[in-house]
């Protein structure tokens, strides 16, 4: 779970690039939302993870700002890199979502 939190921080530090125009426009909003997630991780989610309270982690992921994490990460992936790293971003996003949901 600690690796998942670190991966979330990496995704939240992504920058919009060139690709899907609609998602590129939404990228700045998604970055702001993920910035909120990043600031709330150590306050709301990390204590639950450190105490192995998986029910608590699951509950926190359903509360703001974590409840839109999946949507905002997908916006950045779609609005981001259009070149060779596009597949890598998609795979990393799917892996992170998979870990969060298990």
């Amino acid at each position: 779970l600690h690796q998942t939190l670190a991966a979330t921080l990496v995704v939240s530090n992504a920058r919009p690039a060139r690709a899907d125009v609609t998602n590129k426009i939404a990228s700045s909003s998604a970055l702001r939302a993920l910035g909120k997630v990043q600031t709330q991780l150590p306050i709301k989610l990390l204590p639950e993870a450190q105490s192995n309270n998986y029910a608590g982690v699951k509950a926190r992921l359903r509360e703001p700002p974590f409840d839109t994490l999946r949507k905002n990460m997908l916006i950045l992936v779609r609005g981001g890199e259009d070149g060779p790293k596009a597949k890598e971003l998609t795979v990393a996003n799917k892996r992170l979502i998979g870990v969060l949901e298990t």
Side-chain angles (χ1 to χ4, degrees):
L1 188 56
H2 296 289
Q3 291 173 345
T4 302
L5 295 175
T8 302
L9 291 174
V10 170
V11 171
S12 69
N13 286 326
R15 299 284 181 244
R18 57 195 171 280
D20 180 353
V21 175
T22 303
N23 286 302
K24 188 174 177 183
I25 292 168
S27 291
S28 60
S29 176
L31 281 170
R32 278 193 306 276
L34 290 172
K36 289 179 186 175
V37 167
Q38 189 174 8
T39 60
Q40 293 298 310
L41 275 172
I43 299 166
K44 290 185 176 180
L45 203 55
L46 190 58
E48 301 287 359
Q50 288 175 330
S51 65
N52 292 326
N53 180 2
Y54 298 110
V57 169
K58 186 176 179 180
R60 296 303 150 268
L61 288 172
R62 293 182 176 161
E63 297 173 355
F66 305 109
D67 59 341
T68 58
L69 179 67
R70 179 184 201 158
K71 178 186 84 170
N72 289 319
M73 289 188 322
L74 188 57
I75 288 170
L76 290 180
V77 168
R78 287 182 179 162
E81 183 67 40
D82 207 16
K85 292 196 174 204
K87 185 174 182 176
E88 185 181 325
L89 285 171
T90 303
V91 169
N93 185 52
K94 286 181 182 179
R95 189 176 330 130
L96 176 60
I97 294 300
V99 170
L100 286 172
E101 292 179 346
T102 55

